[in-house]
């Protein structure tokens, strides 16, 4: 056998230790070995062949070499509904098929996809043997690899090498036949990476509706979803993509067990007993107390359990008491002949799908849905309890269900989805007209934005318009967040404040009180009348107050832009209050300016003096337009007459457009104030004159 015939990994150069015969596939592993076993020696590597402890694995069939023991890192990758692996008591199971017939509903299992659920399983199902409920092929192997035999990284090296081998083998088999392999079940179809994304999304959405129905034990609804799936797959433009059986075959010659295996759900339950096949779907609906024992054998031959427990399913007494004649479908028939080439292709494709696992996009979407916000993250009380009109919008509508993983995939501008209060919204109609801009919407697409939504205190009118124009579905019940009206204050504000932040808040309050006390004290100290040729004392006080207000408005705006949650909400509140205070102070300043004396100008170039004059006029204009543009935005968002009053939907679009224009103008004016007017006013008018020995501070200070 030449080098080209060897296993791919055997031909790769390994990193051998320069001080002993050990070899490793990774430099970091060799470095750790030298530090531990050859203390004080420098790193020294020599080319080495595959270590003997791992060479013997290559003499086994590749599938056996990597499937006997499975590392948890591999289990973690299989975390989607159609590829759901769960570790239980040291073993790894594929529960994708069992999920729908799980007595507790499929979502319970899905929440543990890709994880070790041993602790929870043993608490709930103490003494239950899970293998008796599963098909033999559901057991994939033992959890964890033998570290003395191979590392976790090397296990994945073998997995990738085996994937290459399988693809080559599939190409070899296909070259010898004119037939092609197609998925023969919905699970296999959804795992097909070449499947059209649009079709995959539709199938996944319908599967979600089915799981929700099974969770709530609405088996009639689940059967209806099954018919919708069959209708979708039977469409002319889809039928050629798969070989999923959509109708039961001719049963006159007997029912093969492969056909029975297809009917393995609570809403479609066939079981073979003593060479006869029974449809127990209706029985399950009428006798929920017996679902556990029956669903364990859904789609299987239960003859091995016959009369093991007299009076229980399946036994002679049970059959005589419960079984109706119309439940019998027929006798078990012979299995149809199978094309050995197609069977080989099927096995190869199954192994390939198992080793490849879900796509990176599907894994990332599943990981996004793992953290479901709990009560401690609740930003507000129940939305329905505060805004009763919302119930009228969705009344009578049967909204489809979405999982958080499905929503997480909708991040593009073509179909950006968002979760708000356990409901799913399509933001596309809002793009181009949202007052906050499209960037903020697209940056949050695919996520739960309830906290961010509540930070900006949207009005009831905005919420009604949101539900009317954007609502496309709701979260599956198992992934809902509790926004109950009896939430505690700490839950309402979002995240709990740390002890340090609470201490700092008190200290800031102390500093503010000291500043106010000092201000009052200095004011009482300086009350003598001023010359009529200078600014009045009232105007001087307003000048100082407005200066503090300007920096307060700019500072709170910057703080709001760089914080999240309740802190951002508080900063926005202070920004609005400082803006309104500035508007009131501006009106008073104009009044006192007309009654005050005007001090002489500082000497300087006439052009510079003219610029100073225009700078002051620009200040008055900015001080007026900034709060007015903010008020205009609030007005058009919350109070302007919309379709709820006029009955004309165009009024809502007009209000949205004017609100966006107002907030855009507000932001532009704010940037001009922050980056143009303030630097000039402080840099020249104040610092320059002060550097020239001119009493610029004395000119406006109230404390003289």
């Amino acid at each position: 056998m030449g080098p080209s015939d060897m296993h791919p990994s055997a031909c790769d150069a390994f990193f051998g230790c320069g001080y002993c015969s050990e070899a490793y596939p990774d430099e970091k592993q060799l470095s750790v070995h030298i530090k531990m076993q050859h203390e004080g020696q420098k790193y020294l590597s020599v080319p080495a062949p595959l270590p003997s402890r791992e060479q013997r694995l290559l003499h086994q069939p590749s599938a056996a070499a990597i499937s006997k023991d499975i590392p948890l890192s591999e289990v973690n990758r299989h975390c989607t509904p159609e590829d759901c692996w769960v570790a239980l008591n040291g073993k790894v199971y594929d529960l994708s098929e069992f999920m729908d017939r799980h007595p507790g509903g499929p979502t319970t299992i899905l929440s543990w996809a890709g994880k070790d659920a041993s602790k929870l399983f043993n608490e709930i199902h103490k003494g239950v043997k899970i293998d008796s409920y599963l098909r033999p092929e559901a057991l994939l192997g033992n959890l964890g690899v033998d570290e003395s035999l191979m590392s976790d990284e090397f296990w994945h090296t073998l997995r990738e090498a085996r994937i290459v081998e399988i693809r080559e083998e599939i190409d070899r088999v296909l070259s010898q036949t004119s037939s092609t392999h197609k998925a023969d079940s919905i699970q296999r179809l959804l795992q097909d990476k070449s499947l059209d994304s649009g079709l995959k999304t539709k199938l996944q959405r319908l599967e979600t509706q089915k799981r929700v129905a099974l969770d709530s034990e609405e088996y009639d609804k689940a059967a209806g979803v099954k018919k919708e799936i069959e209708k979708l797959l039977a469409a002319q433009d889809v039928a050629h993509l798969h070989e999923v059986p959509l109708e039961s075959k001719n049963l006159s010659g007997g029912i093969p067990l492969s056909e029975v295996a297809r009917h393995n759900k609570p809403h479609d339950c066939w079981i073979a007993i003593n060479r006869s096949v029974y449809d127990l779907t209706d029985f399950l609906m009428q006798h929920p107390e017996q679902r556990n024992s029956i669903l364990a054998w859904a789609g299987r031959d239960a003859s091995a359990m016959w009369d093991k427990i007299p009076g229980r399913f399946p036994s002679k007494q049970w059959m005589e008491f419960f079984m109706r004649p119309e439940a019998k479908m027929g006798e078990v028939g012979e299995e149809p002949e199978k094309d050995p080439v197609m069977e080989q292709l099927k096995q190869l494709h199954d192994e390939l799908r198992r080793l490849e696992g879900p796509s990176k996009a599907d894994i990332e979407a599943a990981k996004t849905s793992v953290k479901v916000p709990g009560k401690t993250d609740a930003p507000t009380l129940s939305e329905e309890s505060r805004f009763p009109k919302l119930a009228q919008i969705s009344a009578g509508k049967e909204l489809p269900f979405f999982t958080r993983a499905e929503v997480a995939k909708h991040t593009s501008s073509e179909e950006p989805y968002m979760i708000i209060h356990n409901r799913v919204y399509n933001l596309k109609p809002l793009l181009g007209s949202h007052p906050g801009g499209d960037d903020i919407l697209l940056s949050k697409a695919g996520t739960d934005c309830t906290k961010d939504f509540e930070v900006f205190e949207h009005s009831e009118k905005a919420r009604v318009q949101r539900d009317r124009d954007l609502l496309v579905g709701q979260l599956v019940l198992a992934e809902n967040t509790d926004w109950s009206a009896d939430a505690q204050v700490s839950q309402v504000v979002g995240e709990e404040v740390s002890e340090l932040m609470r201490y700092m808040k008190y200290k800031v309050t102390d500093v503010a009180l000291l500043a106010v006390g000092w201000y009052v004290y200095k004011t009482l100290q300086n009350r003598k009348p001023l010359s009529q040729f200078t600014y009045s004392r009232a105007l001087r006080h307003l000048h100082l107050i407005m200066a503090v207000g300007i920096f307060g408005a700019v500072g709170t705006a910057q703080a709001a832009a760089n914080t999240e949650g309740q802190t951002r909400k508080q900063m926005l509140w202070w920004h609005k209050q400082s803006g309104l205070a500035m508007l009131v102070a501006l009106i008073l300043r104009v009044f006192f300016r007309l009654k005050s004396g005007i001090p002489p100008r500082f000497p300087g170039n006439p052009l510079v003096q003219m610029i100073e004059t225009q700078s002051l006029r620009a200040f008055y204009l900015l001080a007026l337009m900034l709060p007015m543009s903010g008020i205009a935005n609030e007005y058009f968002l919350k109070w302007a007459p919309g379709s709820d009053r006029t009955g004309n939907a165009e009024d809502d679009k007009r209000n949205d457009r004017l609100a966006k224009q107002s907030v855009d103008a507000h932001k532009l004016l704010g940037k001009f104030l922050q980056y143009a007017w303030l630097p000039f006013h402080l840099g020249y008018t104040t610092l320059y004159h002060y550097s020239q020995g001119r009493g610029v501070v004395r000119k406006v200070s109230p404390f003289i």
Side-chain angles (χ1 to χ4, degrees), residues 608-629:
V608 174
Q609 290 182 339
M610 185 270 290
I611 293 175
E612 288 180 0
T613 302
Q614 299 306 319
S615 170
L616 291 174
R617 291 175 178 172
F619 163 73
Y620 282 103
L621 187 63
L622 286 170
L624 176 65
M625 293 181 66
L626 274 166
M628 291 304 295
S629 59

Side-chain angles (χ1 to χ4, degrees), residues 500-518:
L500 177 61
M501 291 303 296
R502 190 179 289 110
Y503 174 80
M504 293 300 296
K505 183 178 180 180
Y506 290 144
K507 289 305 172 185
V508 168
T509 304
D510 293 343
V511 171
L513 290 174
L514 286 173
V516 171
W518 176 84

Side-chain angles (χ1 to χ4, degrees), residues 601-612 684 688-689 694:
R601 301 178 66 91
F602 288 125
N605 188 292
L607 178 61
V608 174
Q609 290 182 339
M610 185 270 290
I611 293 175
E612 288 180 0
Y684 178 79
Y688 174 73
H689 286 309
R694 298 162 183 167

